[in-house]
Amino acid sequence: MAKQPQLKRTGIYLRLSRDDEKAGESLSIENQRNILHKFADENGGCVVNEYVDDGFSGTDFERPAIKRLLDDAKDGKIDTILVKDLSRFGRNYIQVGQYIDYIFPAYGIRFIALSDNVDTAERNSAGMDMMPIMNIFNEWHAANTSKKIRTVLEANWRKGKYTNWAYPYGYKAGTDDNRTAVIDEESAKIVRRIYDMRLQGNSARTIARILTDEGIPNPTAHYTRLDGKKSDRKSSPYWSPKTVSDILKDPTYIGTLTQHRTTCFSYKNHKVLSVPQSEQIVRENAHEAIVAKDIWEKVQEINNGISRGRTDKQNRIHPLSGLLLCADCGKKLKFKSPGKGKSSCSCYLCRTYADLGKKYCSSHSVPEKLLETIVLQDLRSMLGNINIDEKKAKEHFLRNKTRFGEQNRISDEKQLLSHKNRLAELDKLIQSAFEEKVLGNLPEITWKNLCEKYQIEKDKTKRQIAELEKRLSEKGNSDAEAEEYFTRLKHYAQCEELTREMCLQLIECIAVGEKQTNGLPQQIHIYYKLL
């Protein structure tokens, strides 16, 4: 047997994942370090550097220390890599094989895995012959561990145990076995205020600016102050519109625990994907609510409406902002501030006309004050009719609800068919890409990117299908909806002026026609919610 060559400039690689910690001292970083240093000393090696990934999975090579090790090897800073066993280096048999069989020999790097008797300086050894099988076994172990972890997680989800590391803003961890969320009153007050401001017609951007101006700590800053731990992740100390939007649509605040919202592409590819709503695990009344359910539902109506509401130069949102549509092209109307002339007044214009000119659409100009007066008069007229004859008004509500409900059902069915057809197309595209990869016509990285892109679109399409199917299967309680309709209207029975809150609560949209040249009035159609 030929004598093994002496070690030269050696880099020692050490890795311990969170799952490996359960194996005890045998896999500890310190134990690996002692074994590898002893071997290097006995074989005349000079340890140039240590590379330690503590708490990282071996299923990919996006680990900080392994990337630094590979860079140093390619730059010629080390010529020997020493690990305890192959699984410490990695558990992806394709990538491990590529490095050991192709990349390391190209750079003149010697690779040694002690426990597995793998030494690339001895290509004819039994350890090198067994290396492919050991690599496959190491990956199987990672896949099997992933399945076991998922099984335990799903069992905990169904028992109502909170498994996420962080709690939504407004809550903190409970002391019971399920880690049930309990209200953090300091931040819960801010959550309730955010919902109140949204009901008043403020946009997420406006709410974020108000909270920032008042110096209220955002969720990250709040929890950092509570536990005294600083996050390594760089984050802004200010409130962002996205943070506010996420709070305004989170069902956690009405006591609903939703888990398994995201998943990974696979145990090897840790790209985060959204889980279809139908596959999420939902548990109602899992903890105490911060926001009343009726308030939460009203906010969702506002969030799902067409109005986004833009502020003007005085940071004011006009009552009808975002609710006005051109009756001809369907685009929203744009607010125009008054000019310098005395006779000039603020008005709304078709956005297509404002952006592209009269070749594509006419102005549909309507003065702001005139439009608000028309809407207010119409609301007062409706409220008056309800007070005079509520029975007839209720019949009118139910009649219109049936008519518009049928229109919505037909629209939903068309969208559902379109989404299902697209889902079938995506499956064919993925299959075609796979066949091209197998035939060698498509590079691995291109195939991977395409599959990720198609998978993301598939998940989004599945969520849309689930939402449409749920909406089509629901049969609303007409009497209850009528009562809700009247309650909402009577709340504004004594209105003196048009407010943003009133418009968002009552109006779905307003279609504005072009000015008539034959002396007839301009056509303005108001579509009310629940009507």
Side-chain angles (χ1 to χ4, degrees):
M1 182 177 175
K3 184 179 179 182
Q4 291 185 354
Q6 291 287 303
L7 299 179
K8 298 178 183 178
R9 294 171 300 161
T10 304
I12 290 178
Y13 180 71
L14 317 167
R15 184 184 68 81
L16 183 70
S17 71
R18 292 183 178 88
D19 295 323
D20 292 328
E21 290 174 358
K22 301 173 184 177
E25 180 63 24
S26 63
L27 287 181
S28 69
I29 293 293
E30 192 59 35
N31 185 63
Q32 294 179 54
R33 179 180 287 114
N34 293 336
I35 292 173
L36 297 180
H37 271 283
K38 181 180 179 182
F39 180 83
D41 292 341
E42 291 175 351
N43 290 271
C46 173
V47 177
V48 175
N49 208 340
E50 286 185 1
Y51 306 84
V52 183
D53 280 320
D54 196 353
F56 287 86
S57 169
T59 54
D60 63 49
F61 280 76
E62 294 302 313
R63 293 164 261 154
I66 194 73
K67 291 167 73 174
R68 189 162 52 88
L69 168 73
L70 298 175
D71 288 341
D72 286 354
K74 292 175 182 178
D75 291 342
K77 295 179 181 179
I78 56 176
D79 48 35
T80 303
I81 295 175
L82 189 60
V83 298
K84 181 178 179 291
D85 55 56
L86 287 169
S87 67
R88 297 305 93 205
F89 184 63
R91 291 188 182 274
N92 184 316
Y93 80 95
I94 293 177
Q95 287 183 286
V96 170
Q98 284 179 333
Y99 276 107
I100 296 177
D101 290 332
Y102 299 101
I103 298 175
F104 290 160
Y107 286 93
I109 304 297
R110 180 183 178 188
F111 178 85
I112 301 174
L114 286 184
S115 300
D116 295 326
N117 295 319
V118 170
D119 186 346
T120 54
E122 297 289 334
R123 285 285 171 180
N124 296 322
S125 66
M128 290 296 294
D129 291 339
M130 289 294 295
M131 184 185 69
I133 297 174
M134 287 186 286
N135 281 334
I136 291 174
F137 179 81
N138 288 333
E139 179 159 331
W140 170 85
H141 176 80
N144 192 47
T145 301
S146 177
K147 289 178 182 178
K148 289 179 180 179
I149 292 173
R150 175 56 59 86
T151 301
V152 172
L153 277 174
E154 288 185 357
N156 287 332
W157 291 335
R158 301 199 181 279
K159 288 192 298 184
K161 185 172 183 177
Y162 195 90
T163 58
N164 293 343
W165 67 273
Y167 284 77
Y169 181 69
Y171 288 100
K172 56 186 178 181
T175 56
D176 61 336
D177 292 339
N178 283 344
R179 301 177 67 239
T180 303
V182 295
I183 293 177
D184 171 36
E185 196 54 47
E186 181 183 354
S187 53
K189 290 178 182 178
I190 307 302
V191 172
R192 297 187 190 102
R193 187 180 171 201
I194 289 172
Y195 274 79
D196 289 341
M197 286 193 286
R198 185 64 175 132
L199 284 177
Q200 293 165 11
N202 292 291
S203 66
R205 187 176 298 278
T206 301
I207 295 171
R209 185 173 60 248
I210 292 172
L211 297 176
T212 300
D213 289 345
E214 294 180 4
I216 296 172
N218 68 7
T220 302
H222 172 74
Y223 284 119
T224 299
R225 187 179 62 181
L226 283 182
D227 59 24
K229 296 179 181 178
K230 291 185 178 180
S231 173
D232 294 331
R233 184 179 63 183
K234 292 183 179 179
S235 58
S236 169
Y238 311 121
W239 285 82
S240 69
K242 185 181 185 306
T243 299
V244 175
S245 295
D246 289 344
I247 289 174
L248 287 170
K249 64 185 179 184
D250 193 344
T252 302
Y253 297 112
I254 55 172
T256 300
L257 174 62
T258 306
Q259 300 199 96
H260 190 38
R261 293 183 179 183
T262 59
T263 187
C264 291
F265 190 81
S266 73
Y267 69 95
K268 290 192 289 186
N269 185 340
H270 297 161
K271 184 178 181 66
V272 177
L273 302 173
S274 297
V275 174
Q277 194 171 5
S278 59
E279 297 177 17
Q280 295 176 7
I281 298 176
V282 179
R283 192 181 184 91
E284 295 183 353
N285 301 317
H287 50 263
E288 188 178 355
I290 290 177
V291 178
K293 190 172 183 179
D294 61 329
I295 292 177
W296 190 85
E297 289 175 346
K298 288 178 181 178
V299 167
Q300 303 321 300
E301 282 186 16
I302 295 173
N303 291 341
N304 296 329
I306 67 168
S307 174
R308 293 296 175 264
R310 295 179 180 273
T311 57
D312 59 17
K313 294 179 180 179
Q314 287 74 41
N315 288 328
R316 183 172 70 94
I317 300 179
H318 296 263
L320 296 173
S321 177
L323 294 170
L324 305 174
L325 301 176
C326 173
D328 294 318
C329 72
K331 291 287 187 178
K332 290 187 178 182
L333 266 61
K334 180 179 181 179
F335 179 77
K336 181 182 178 183
S337 301
K340 295 181 179 180
K342 292 182 179 179
S343 60
S344 179
C345 64
S346 56
C347 65
Y348 290 97
L349 298 173
C350 170
R351 183 168 289 277
T352 302
Y353 169 82
D355 293 343
L356 302 176
K358 62 182 180 181
K359 180 180 178 181
Y360 299 93
C361 197
S362 53
S363 69
H364 294 73
S365 174
V366 57
E368 179 191 21
K369 294 301 180 184
L370 174 62
L371 185 58
E372 289 183 5
T373 300
I374 292 172
V375 173
L376 187 58
Q377 287 176 350
D378 194 66
L379 278 171
R380 285 173 175 168
S381 174
M382 289 179 61
L383 295 172
N385 288 336
I386 290 173
N387 291 332
I388 294 170
D389 193 339
E390 188 168 315
K391 183 179 179 181
K392 287 185 179 180
K394 185 174 181 179
E395 290 174 355
H396 174 72
F397 166 82
L398 295 174
R399 184 167 59 251
N400 281 280
K401 178 182 181 297
T402 302
R403 178 163 60 89
F404 286 110
E406 180 64 17
Q407 293 175 355
N408 291 334
R409 184 187 64 78
I410 294 172
S411 175
D412 286 348
E413 287 178 346
K414 289 181 179 179
Q415 289 186 56
L416 182 62
L417 180 60
S418 175
H419 288 322
K420 286 184 175 180
N421 290 338
R422 180 56 180 167
L423 196 62
E425 289 177 4
L426 289 169
D427 286 332
K428 290 179 181 179
L429 288 170
I430 292 174
Q431 182 179 352
S432 176
F434 179 74
E435 291 172 353
E436 290 295 315
K437 171 185 172 293
V438 172
L439 293 172
N441 298 331
L442 197 66
E444 177 81 20
I445 186 65
T446 305
W447 173 75
K448 181 179 177 182
N449 291 337
L450 281 174
C451 284
E452 288 182 2
K453 176 185 174 183
Y454 292 148
Q455 187 62 45
I456 291 171
E457 188 178 350
K458 273 187 68 176
D459 291 339
K460 181 181 178 181
T461 305
K462 284 180 179 179
R463 289 197 303 274
Q464 292 170 330
I465 289 173
E467 290 170 3
L468 287 168
E469 288 178 338
K470 181 181 178 182
R471 195 154 68 214
L472 287 169
S473 65
E474 288 177 345
K475 295 181 179 180
N477 186 331
S478 297
D479 290 334
E481 289 180 357
E483 289 300 323
E484 164 66 16
Y485 169 69
F486 291 125
T487 300
R488 192 176 296 184
L489 287 179
K490 289 175 180 177
H491 177 70
Y492 302 104
Q494 305 301 322
C495 59
E496 296 294 333
E497 62 178 354
L498 203 63
T499 66
R500 179 68 176 167
E501 180 181 0
M502 182 193 307
C503 293
L504 290 178
Q505 290 290 315
L506 301 179
I507 299 172
E508 187 68 45
C509 66
I510 300 174
V512 179
E514 184 51 272
K515 287 184 177 180
Q516 302 294 314
T517 57
N518 53 8
L520 295 175
Q522 186 175 9
Q523 294 293 311
I524 297 175
H525 298 281
I526 305 172
Y527 298 93
Y528 293 98
K529 291 183 177 179
L530 300 177
L531 191 61

